[in-house]
Amino acid sequence: RGTAQLRTRRVACPLAAMARDEALDLAQGSATACLGCMLAPKMPEVPETKGEKQPNNKRLQQQALPACKPVMDAVWVVFIFLAIGAVMLPIGAVCLSYGLQPNEALVRYDQTCFANPEVAAGSNSERLAAAWAAEASGNAETELACTVELQILEDMPAPVYFFYELSGFYQNNYRYVESRSYEQLVELEGADTGMCSPQRYYDGNESRPINPCGLTAWSFFNDTFALSLRRGDGGVQLLDVQTEGIASSSDRSHMYANYTATWFNPLLNSLRGGDNLTVPVGASDAFMIWMRLALLPRFRKLAGVLQDTS
C-alpha cells in the first residue's frame, strides 16, 4: 500500500518501433525501457525536393542503361581493319579515276611579263618597283602585258575552266579574315565597319569611308587575262571566255548588294592595294570569288569558263 506498480517492457530498440508505441505506453501509465537506446520524438516528414539542374532519376538520364564494352583482341582488330579497307578501296579507286580525267595545263607568268629581261630575272622587290614605274609613266599596257603559251596536248571538251593560282598568300590570316564588314556588303544602313581597320577610311580621313572596306577587298587581285587560239594556218582567234555568272549563286543572291564602290583603290599610288571596281559590287563575279577566302597559302580561284571549244 502506498506504492506504485511499475510495468516494464523490453523493446528490441529500433527507433521506429519506439515512436510507434510511445502513445500507447504512456496512456497505460507505463514507462518504456530500451536497452542502449534513447527515446526521440518523431520528426515530421519532409517531401524530397529536386534541384533546379538535377536530372530525373531515370536510367537514360542517369546513364545507367545497359552498355556493351567489348575487349578487342588482335584477331578482331585485324578483321575490322580489313573490312574497312575492303569498303574504302573501291571508293578511293573511283575517286582517283575521276581525279585523273581532267586535262590540265599550267604556266607561270609573273617572272616573264616584263619587257626588260633584267627586271624579269630580278627579285620581287625589283619587279614591284618596275611595275609601279610602268603604271606611273602610263606604259603599263606595253611594259606589263605579255603573251604566254599553253601547250594543250589533249582535247578539252567544254566547259573548260580557267583559274589563276597564288602561292605564299595567306588569306587565312586572322586579321585578314576579320577585316571586312558583311553589313556593308549588303548595303545595310548604319553598317558597323570597325573591323575593317586599317582599310576603313581612305588615307585615314574619316570623311572618306572606304566601301567595300577591309584588307580582303583592298587586296583584290588585279591581273586580267585574255585567251586566244593559235590555229594550224598561223592565225590567232580570240576566245570568248565567260566571266559573268561564275560566282556562287548564294553569294550573288544574299551576300552582295548592287551598289557603287566609293574610295575603293581610286588612285595608283602607295595607298593602292589591288584592283578597283568599275561595276557595282554585286555585279563583279571576280570580286565575289576573291572575297571567298582560301584555307591554304597556295590556292586557285576561278577566272573564267570557256563554254565553246569548237
Side-chain angles (χ1 to χ4, degrees), residues 277-297:
L277 286 170
T278 57
V279 297
V281 174
S284 176
D285 288 75
F287 179 77
M288 289 185 279
I289 292 174
W290 176 258
M291 294 292 285
R292 270 191 172 260
L293 301 177
L295 178 63
L296 301 176

Side-chain angles (χ1 to χ4, degrees), residues 34-53:
C34 178
L35 298 179
C37 294
M38 180 179 292
L39 187 64
K42 185 178 181 181
M43 301 298 294
E45 295 184 1
V46 179
E48 182 181 358
T49 58
K50 187 179 71 172
E52 181 182 353
K53 297 184 179 180

Side-chain angles (χ1 to χ4, degrees), residues 209-282:
I210 302 175
N211 190 357
C213 66
L215 292 172
T216 312
W218 174 75
S219 58
F220 180 29
F221 189 70
N222 60 345
D223 286 3
T224 56
F225 308 95
L227 295 182
S228 58
L229 175 65
R230 179 172 295 176
R231 298 190 174 277
D233 56 2
V236 176
Q237 176 187 351
L238 186 64
L239 300 179
D240 184 17
V241 180
Q242 176 186 345
T243 57
E244 298 180 359
I246 60 175
S248 172
S249 59
S250 61
D251 288 355
R252 295 196 305 269
S253 303
H254 307 291
M255 296 289 293
Y256 300 91
N258 283 321
Y259 66 90
T260 303
T262 57
W263 296 107
F264 180 68
N265 290 330
L267 302 174
L268 289 172
N269 52 27
S270 59
L271 300 176
R272 179 91 173 236
D275 202 1
N276 56 6
L277 286 170
T278 57
V279 297
V281 174

Side-chain angles (χ1 to χ4, degrees), residues 128-277:
L128 180 61
W132 277 114
E135 292 284 0
S137 62
N139 298 326
E141 294 295 332
T142 57
E143 296 188 20
L144 300 181
C146 64
T147 301
V148 294
E149 291 188 359
L150 290 171
Q151 295 292 333
I152 309 298
L153 303 178
E154 299 180 9
D155 291 338
M156 290 186 177
V160 176
Y161 296 93
F162 180 65
F163 297 84
Y164 61 87
E165 179 180 297
L166 297 179
S167 60
F169 195 101
Y170 291 86
Q171 276 197 319
N172 59 352
N173 181 275
Y174 176 77
R175 187 179 184 187
Y176 187 90
V177 171
E178 295 294 328
S179 184
R180 64 171 62 193
S181 173
Y182 293 101
E183 297 177 354
Q184 187 190 57
L185 293 173
V186 296
E187 205 176 11
L188 185 66
E189 186 177 355
D192 182 14
T193 60
M195 296 297 293
C196 291
S197 182
Q199 296 301 325
R200 186 181 182 185
Y201 302 107
Y202 187 74
D203 200 15
N205 190 340
E206 295 187 2
S207 64
R208 300 176 178 180
I210 302 175
N211 190 357
C213 66
L215 292 172
T216 312
W218 174 75
S219 58
F220 180 29
F221 189 70
N222 60 345
D223 286 3
T224 56
F225 308 95
L227 295 182
S228 58
L229 175 65
R230 179 172 295 176
R231 298 190 174 277
D233 56 2
V236 176
Q237 176 187 351
L238 186 64
L239 300 179
D240 184 17
V241 180
Q242 176 186 345
T243 57
E244 298 180 359
I246 60 175
S248 172
S249 59
S250 61
D251 288 355
R252 295 196 305 269
S253 303
H254 307 291
M255 296 289 293
Y256 300 91
N258 283 321
Y259 66 90
T260 303
T262 57
W263 296 107
F264 180 68
N265 290 330
L267 302 174
L268 289 172
N269 52 27
S270 59
L271 300 176
R272 179 91 173 236
D275 202 1
N276 56 6
L277 286 170

Side-chain angles (χ1 to χ4, degrees), residues 21-34:
D21 297 336
E22 179 184 5
L24 179 61
D25 292 338
L26 293 178
Q28 294 177 352
S30 62
T32 303
C34 178

Side-chain angles (χ1 to χ4, degrees), residues 74-94:
V75 177
W76 276 103
V77 172
V78 172
F79 175 76
I80 292 174
F81 274 99
L82 289 177
I84 296 175
V87 174
M88 295 299 176
L89 187 61
I91 297 177
V94 172

